[in-house]
């Protein structure tokens, strides 16, 4: 159960790292991102596709670039992540109930 969540968080981390690279170095291509992150090309390509589907980046002849929606997403990201962290904190069992050994 927790393993799936951990995998999703790892994938989200990769997507956000790829997005950060696009924001900082646009236009940027798959090869450069793969070399700088150590992620295989297919994982970078998948992250780029997810980000494109979310309208956060778009392809150009020189590489990936940001869109008009990128800035708004980035502005709201920290607050959304904080809300998720709070929700996860509330889910902790050890603080709510002592488990008998």
């Amino acid at each position: 159960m927790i393993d799936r969540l951990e995998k999703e968080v790892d994938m989200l981390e990769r997507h956000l790292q790829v997005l950060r690279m696009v924001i900082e170095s646009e236009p940027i291509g798959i090869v450069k991102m793969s070399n700088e992150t150590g992620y295989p090309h297919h994982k970078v390509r998948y992250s780029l596709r997810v980000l494109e589907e979310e309208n956060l980046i778009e392809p150009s002849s020189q590489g990936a670039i940001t869109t008009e929606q990128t800035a708004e997403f980035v502005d709201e990201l920290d607050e959304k992540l904080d809300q998720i962290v709070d929700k996860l904190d509330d889910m902790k069992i050890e603080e709510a109930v002592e488990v008998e050994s």
Side-chain angles (χ1 to χ4, degrees), residues 22-64:
V22 174
I23 291 168
E24 293 172 353
S25 304
E26 66 180 313
I28 185 169
I30 292 172
V31 173
K32 184 173 182 180
M33 282 190 261
S34 179
N35 290 341
E36 289 186 17
T37 62
Y39 293 127
H41 291 220
H42 71 278
K43 290 194 174 196
V44 172
R45 189 175 294 111
Y46 178 73
S47 291
L48 288 169
R49 186 168 64 239
V50 168
L51 294 169
E52 185 177 355
E53 287 172 1
E54 294 291 324
N55 296 315
L56 298 174
I57 64 163
E58 59 188 29
S60 76
S61 58
Q62 291 84 31

Side-chain angles (χ1 to χ4, degrees), residues 64-99:
I65 58 173
T66 57
T67 66
E68 293 178 9
Q69 287 87 6
T70 308
E72 182 180 346
F73 174 82
V74 170
D75 289 344
E76 296 173 356
L77 179 63
D78 286 349
E79 183 178 335
K80 287 182 180 182
L81 289 174
D82 287 341
Q83 290 171 354
I84 292 168
V85 168
D86 289 344
K87 186 179 253 185
L88 289 170
D89 278 340
D90 290 343
M91 294 170 68
K92 290 181 180 177
I93 293 176
E94 66 184 40
E95 293 177 7
V97 178
E98 257 192 60
V99 179

